Amino acid sequence: MQPIRQLMNTISELASPQACLFTPADLRSVLPNHSDAAFKTLLSRAVSEGLLTRLCRGLYLYEKAGPDRGLILPHAAAKLRPLALNYLSLETVLSDAGVISQIPMNRIMVMSSARSAVIDCGRWGSIEFVKTRQRPDELVCNLTYDPVARLWRANVKQALRDMRATHRNLDLIDWKAAHEFV
């Protein structure tokens, strides 16, 4: 069987709407006898033939699995930094809670123990990782795990604290609505 066909058969068997993002390391075991260069060429060919979509550097999307568009960015954030403490916060959480009136379109804000960065995910939007210096024991009371997004999620009190700590614009905040949560 051709290597690209073998790769795509394995992906189609593994993929589901909840699990359709793959790193090269996830896929590497499918073709262990290929050199790294040959494997990278194979991934590039799968993208150019439309079999896989390169979401961002080091992350591929299998669109035939029928992913929920609203969950691609949070799942990508969790997949990109699996060893860091990451949690949804800032404008993303405040918008979801109705504390700010504007909805961040095609962008999620994630506080991270790793470095700050903005990851462009093409037509799906972008992920803004913002460095936090807070220790997990300081955050534990203000975070809940969101199994749908596969990320921790800050409560409104923590999101407001993060907004201040990162010197974000506070003009959009409806303080009456915010005081209901604090």
Side-chain angles (χ1 to χ4, degrees):
M1 179 181 292
Q2 289 183 343
I4 196 157
R5 201 60 52 221
Q6 184 179 354
L7 178 69
M8 295 316 299
N9 285 345
T10 303
I11 289 173
S12 67
E13 289 175 15
L14 295 174
S16 70
Q18 297 79 30
C20 56
L21 293 172
F22 299 94
T23 64
D26 295 335
L27 302 173
R28 189 67 179 103
S29 62
V30 176
L31 300 165
N33 296 331
H34 280 62
S35 68
D36 288 341
F39 183 72
K40 287 179 185 177
T41 302
L42 185 68
L43 284 178
S44 178
R45 187 171 149 217
V47 170
S48 66
E49 291 180 11
L51 302 171
L52 289 175
T53 303
R54 185 176 181 267
L55 191 68
C56 61
R57 182 175 178 230
L59 198 57
Y60 296 89
L61 173 66
Y62 183 62
E63 291 188 69
K64 287 185 181 177
D68 181 344
R69 288 187 57 83
L71 295 176
I72 290 175
L73 290 178
H75 289 185
K79 197 89 166 145
L80 286 170
R81 295 188 175 183
L83 301 178
L85 169 64
N86 300 306
Y87 62 93
L88 292 168
S89 188
L90 304 167
E91 292 91 344
T92 301
V93 168
L94 296 177
S95 175
D96 290 348
V99 175
I100 59 175
S101 59
Q102 293 185 353
I103 299 170
M105 295 302 293
N106 296 327
R107 188 176 188 99
I108 62 169
M109 288 70 170
V110 178
M111 296 298 290
S112 179
S113 61
R115 65 184 176 87
S116 295
V118 176
I119 308 296
D120 180 16
C121 295
R123 64 184 166 144
W124 289 275
S126 58
I127 304 165
E128 182 178 353
F129 288 103
V130 180
K131 171 85 172 160
T132 182
R133 288 181 167 52
Q134 293 183 75
R135 296 186 327 265
D137 61 325
E138 297 171 340
L139 297 166
V140 70
C141 295
N142 295 318
L143 301 180
T144 54
Y145 186 71
D146 184 343
V148 175
R150 296 187 195 143
L151 282 172
W152 291 94
R153 179 179 289 274
N155 60 21
V156 172
K157 179 181 174 183
Q158 182 63 43
L160 289 169
R161 184 182 309 160
D162 292 337
M163 290 285 285
R164 288 185 194 101
T166 57
H167 307 289
R168 304 287 268 225
N169 186 347
L170 303 176
D171 294 341
L172 296 175
I173 296 173
D174 178 355
W175 290 104
K176 286 183 184 179
H179 288 298
E180 291 177 19
F181 293 98
V182 179

